[in-house]
């Protein structure tokens, strides 16, 4: 896991902020990622900079897990995370 990548599209995501700090997310109900901020050279596995509690993985990582028959990870498409 590389670290944090600031790529949340706040205009199209659904989230709540702390009452005393509107820049800090309290909860994130629905993701919308700015694909242009996750460039082709970005890591395949990273934490969302605005909400680092979840690990995000590129579709290639999911396919590699499936091909190898690995278990123990759940891959949820951002648009289906609610």
């Amino acid at each position: 896991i590389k670290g944090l990548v600031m790529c949340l599209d706040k205009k199209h995501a659904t989230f709540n902020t702390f009452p005393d700090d509107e820049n800090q997310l309290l909860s994130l109900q629905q993701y919308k990622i700015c694909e242009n901020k996750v460039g082709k050279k970005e890591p395949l596995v990273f934490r969302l900079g605005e909400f680092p509690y979840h690990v995000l993985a590129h579709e290639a990582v999911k396919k590699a897990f499936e091909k190898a028959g690995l278990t123990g990870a759940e891959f949820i498409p951002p648009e289906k995370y609610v």
Side-chain angles (χ1 to χ4, degrees):
I1 299 175
K2 186 209 172 208
L4 305 175
V5 176
M6 303 295 283
C7 60
L8 182 66
D9 181 349
K10 289 186 175 180
K11 290 181 183 178
H12 297 101
T14 305
F15 58 89
N16 295 309
T17 59
F18 283 93
D20 58 341
D21 185 356
E22 292 184 8
N23 293 317
Q24 187 175 5
L25 301 188
L26 174 64
S27 63
L28 180 60
Q29 291 82 34
Q30 188 170 18
Y31 285 95
K32 179 64 179 167
I33 303 299
C34 292
E35 304 258 343
N36 62 333
K37 292 184 180 180
V38 184
K40 294 179 182 177
K41 294 184 180 182
E42 288 293 337
L44 295 178
V45 180
F46 61 91
R47 292 187 183 276
L48 185 63
E50 296 86 353
F51 195 73
Y53 305 104
H54 296 158
V55 175
L56 303 183
H58 189 276
E59 181 71 19
V61 174
K62 177 184 180 245
K63 289 180 180 179
F65 265 69
E66 291 169 347
K67 184 177 179 180
L70 300 175
T71 61
E74 181 179 9
F75 295 92
I76 304 169
E79 64 276 2
K80 297 206 179 203
Y81 180 80
V82 276

